[in-house]
Amino acid sequence: MFIHKINDDLALKLIELKDSNRVFELTDTSRNYLREWLPWLDTTTKLEDTIGFINMCLKGFSENRSINTVILFKGNIVGVAGFNNINWSNKTAQIGYWLGEEYQGYGIMTRVAEALTEYAFKELALNKVEIRVAVGNKKSRSIPERLGFINEGCIRQAEWLYDHYVDHVVYGILSEEWSNK
């Protein structure tokens, strides 16, 4: 079982099927809030959809392609974060994350992204970590900016968001830049 303690209140735990009820509940109660920037809310409408997502996460973990975790804040699941994609050939990983609406504003996601970045470099020996964020998602963009990631550019129309495309800013940081912070 993968558990990564960040501090006394915050930890990351490999997502498991037993987490499905809570992850779906959190998704459902934050649906309108999350829908502004996440494209999968309309296809996650019942518990079985979350179970399918978790099975996909576990398959990616077993194939060493991804690591998806639940965020534990004071022992409660408050969101999901992890490496959506690990490219071992190029020694890169992409971080993805979301947090339930009521847990916003406590600095949780900044600490989570920092811990994942540290883990990527120290434990996985990767060379680069990326975070891709919709251009207009200022809250999410502030996370890599706060952590010293470099704005590497914009991917035009990178994601279909229900009825329109959004551009993504690509933020990246190299292992040597992280260790020199």
Side-chain angles (χ1 to χ4, degrees):
M1 170 61 54
F2 173 87
I3 296 180
H4 183 73
K5 185 175 179 178
I6 298 171
N7 61 34
D8 288 342
D9 291 334
L10 198 56
L12 300 173
K13 178 186 77 68
L14 185 67
I15 198 167
E16 302 175 89
L17 285 172
K18 70 179 184 177
D19 301 323
S20 60
N21 283 319
R22 175 60 182 149
V23 172
F24 179 72
E25 173 191 27
L26 191 59
T27 300
D28 212 31
T29 58
S30 298
R31 183 171 302 281
N32 291 335
Y33 175 78
L34 295 173
R35 196 175 190 281
E36 182 178 7
W37 298 113
L38 297 176
W40 46 264
L41 275 297
D42 287 358
T43 57
T44 306
T45 58
K46 54 191 180 301
L47 179 61
E48 290 74 23
D49 300 325
T50 298
I51 291 170
F53 166 73
I54 293 173
N55 279 323
M56 181 186 68
C57 293
L58 293 172
K59 184 174 192 266
F61 182 75
S62 72
E63 294 173 351
N64 209 22
R65 296 183 284 109
S66 62
I67 302 173
N68 287 284
T69 67
V70 291
I71 301 165
L72 298 173
F73 180 63
K74 298 183 178 181
N76 298 310
I77 295 173
V78 299
V80 174
F83 303 113
N84 292 335
N85 179 40
I86 301 172
N87 182 322
W88 293 103
S89 299
N90 293 319
K91 295 187 175 245
T92 62
Q94 290 181 351
I95 294 177
Y97 47 77
W98 64 268
L99 195 60
E101 182 175 12
E102 66 185 284
Y103 302 100
Q104 299 285 322
Y106 296 102
I108 293 170
M109 200 53 78
T110 299
R111 289 192 303 269
V112 165
E114 181 178 36
L116 285 169
T117 303
E118 184 77 13
Y119 188 84
F121 295 140
K122 302 289 190 221
E123 303 298 325
L124 302 179
L126 297 178
N127 182 57
K128 183 178 183 182
V129 173
E130 291 183 354
I131 298 176
R132 297 179 181 208
V133 182
V135 169
N137 190 343
K138 294 189 186 331
K139 278 186 179 180
S140 195
R141 286 184 64 179
S142 71
I143 293 167
E145 290 170 358
R146 214 176 286 127
L147 294 174
F149 280 62
I150 306 300
N151 179 332
E152 296 185 339
C154 180
I155 301 173
R156 297 177 307 144
Q157 296 188 359
E159 184 174 51
W160 179 251
L161 198 57
Y162 305 104
D163 61 356
H164 65 286
Y165 285 100
V166 292
D167 298 344
H168 277 187
V169 178
V170 178
Y171 291 95
I173 194 160
L174 304 177
S175 176
E176 63 195 42
E177 295 167 335
W178 187 258
S179 61
N180 291 331
K181 282 185 12 162

